[in-house]
Amino acid sequence: MPKAIDMMRRREEEILGAIKHLSEKTKDFSNPEMMVIGGYALRAFIPFSRFTRDCDFAVKKRNGWNIDFLKDILPDGFSIEHEEKRGSYAFMRCIKFLRHEKSRIKVSIDFMEGEIRGRDERDAVIIDEKMIDKRKFVELTIGGEKVEIPVPCYTDYFIMKVVSCRASDIRDVAAMILEKGIPESLDERLREVLLHPEIFGVKVNRIISEIRRKTFLDSWRGIFGTKKYSEKDREKVLEILNEYWVNYSLKEINQFYS
């Protein structure tokens, strides 16, 4: 069997081709306005890269659907696996199967228009005008080649990761906090982009509980393939999060009694 690392590299090379294709067809991601989120965008905020199975795009909402246009400009070989439209948001997953030696590799591209939705109905982040205006273009290495892509600002990306709160997201959040801390003006932005702002506190509490686990450090190192992270780093992240959690809880109490 081919090595897992070789399969992931083959998948990333295909993602690189898809990103370059979409950049050309959308006039550098300006028509429609969109940006890369998920694991690839993480590379803009921390010094490590981790392989990810798919590439996620957040797309600005318009009257009608930008996703309908994106259907017509998909990279060669990609087909629609799933599509849904529900009033304020739309989602489309496109897939392609590759041959690598004797194995078949699945590559996915997800497009989220209007809102970024998670598994729970309350896990919804609005892709608003400010999010698009504050995106930044960064040069990242994907598939062994440097490519310029748009990613969210740190505050918006941090909110997306916390709300998603999967196991990999929690490790990403820890790495981001260690490198860049808690974003400024976070509370104001939460009120602007979360349909259910109360969910953020629930997620932060879950992240703190996970980072407290004795097994967290090994899994944190493992997902990025590094030995750099230490127990001291884990404690530092917890200290920052606990301080934020106390302040967040006090604000919630004050709002309740005001």
Side-chain angles (χ1 to χ4, degrees):
M1 290 184 63
K3 294 181 180 178
I5 191 72
D6 292 333
M7 295 174 68
M8 295 301 289
R9 284 173 178 159
R10 179 68 185 89
R11 180 184 284 115
E12 187 158 298
E13 289 169 359
E14 188 67 32
I15 291 293
L16 170 65
I19 289 173
K20 291 166 72 174
H21 172 88
L22 290 168
S23 176
E24 178 184 352
K25 294 296 183 179
T26 62
K27 299 180 180 178
D28 296 328
F29 304 106
S30 66
N31 185 27
E33 293 175 303
M34 53 199 288
M35 56 191 167
V36 176
I37 56 176
Y40 284 105
L42 180 68
R43 300 179 186 189
F45 302 105
I46 69 169
F48 299 112
S49 299
R50 64 171 175 83
F51 287 112
T52 179
R53 293 184 177 274
D54 51 26
C55 184
D56 304 318
F57 287 92
V59 185
K60 182 180 178 182
K61 180 72 175 71
R62 72 173 178 88
N63 294 329
W65 298 101
N66 279 317
I67 276 180
D68 289 337
F69 168 74
L70 292 168
K71 288 179 190 177
D72 296 330
I73 63 166
L74 291 177
D76 288 344
F78 279 87
S79 60
I80 299 170
E81 182 183 58
H82 179 76
E83 179 185 0
E84 61 179 299
K85 298 171 182 174
R86 295 189 184 181
S88 59
Y89 77 97
F91 172 81
M92 181 170 67
R93 168 161 291 171
C94 305
I95 62 170
K96 180 178 181 178
F97 289 100
L98 309 174
R99 298 301 305 181
H100 181 72
E101 297 183 7
K102 295 182 180 180
S103 297
R104 192 167 77 149
I105 307 171
K106 182 179 179 181
V107 181
S108 302
I109 303 176
D110 290 351
F111 298 96
M112 287 155 266
E113 181 173 346
E115 297 169 10
I116 300 163
R117 289 270 176 163
R119 288 162 291 186
D120 189 284
E121 188 66 26
R122 295 179 298 169
D123 298 349
V125 181
I126 300 168
I127 305 167
D128 66 355
E129 192 74 33
K130 185 184 292 186
M131 186 179 292
I132 295 295
D133 289 344
K134 295 187 72 174
R135 66 182 179 157
K136 61 179 182 177
F137 282 78
V138 296
E139 188 177 70
L140 301 177
T141 300
I142 298 175
E145 184 177 328
K146 291 188 180 299
V147 60
E148 192 172 67
I149 61 173
V151 300
C153 72
Y154 180 57
T155 301
D156 289 341
Y157 188 69
F158 186 85
I159 292 171
M160 294 176 199
K161 279 290 179 182
V162 171
V163 171
S164 181
C165 206
R166 298 167 301 180
S168 60
D169 294 312
I170 293 173
R171 284 141 187 81
D172 293 348
V173 167
M176 292 162 64
I177 290 174
L178 186 64
E179 294 295 328
K180 299 180 70 69
I182 301 291
E184 296 180 2
S185 305
L186 179 58
D187 293 347
E188 176 185 348
R189 194 67 179 126
L190 292 175
R191 292 190 293 271
E192 293 173 342
V193 299
L194 294 188
L195 293 176
H196 303 276
E198 72 280 359
I199 198 67
F200 195 79
V202 175
K203 303 289 187 172
V204 170
N205 191 37
R206 183 183 302 172
I207 290 170
I208 291 173
S209 297
E210 181 63 25
I211 296 176
R212 281 176 176 159
R213 293 178 182 270
K214 293 181 179 180
T215 57
F216 179 79
L217 182 57
D218 287 338
S219 63
W220 193 21
R221 289 170 170 170
I223 200 168
F224 293 110
T226 181
K227 294 182 179 179
K228 176 188 174 183
Y229 295 133
S230 65
E231 179 61 23
K232 185 176 180 180
D233 292 328
R234 187 183 73 89
E235 292 173 355
K236 181 179 179 181
V237 171
L238 269 178
E239 180 182 353
I240 294 171
L241 271 173
N242 282 326
E243 181 179 355
Y244 172 77
W245 178 244
V246 169
N247 292 331
Y248 178 91
S249 300
L250 287 174
K251 289 176 185 176
E252 290 290 295
I253 292 171
N254 290 336
Q255 288 178 6
F256 180 80
Y257 286 106
S258 62

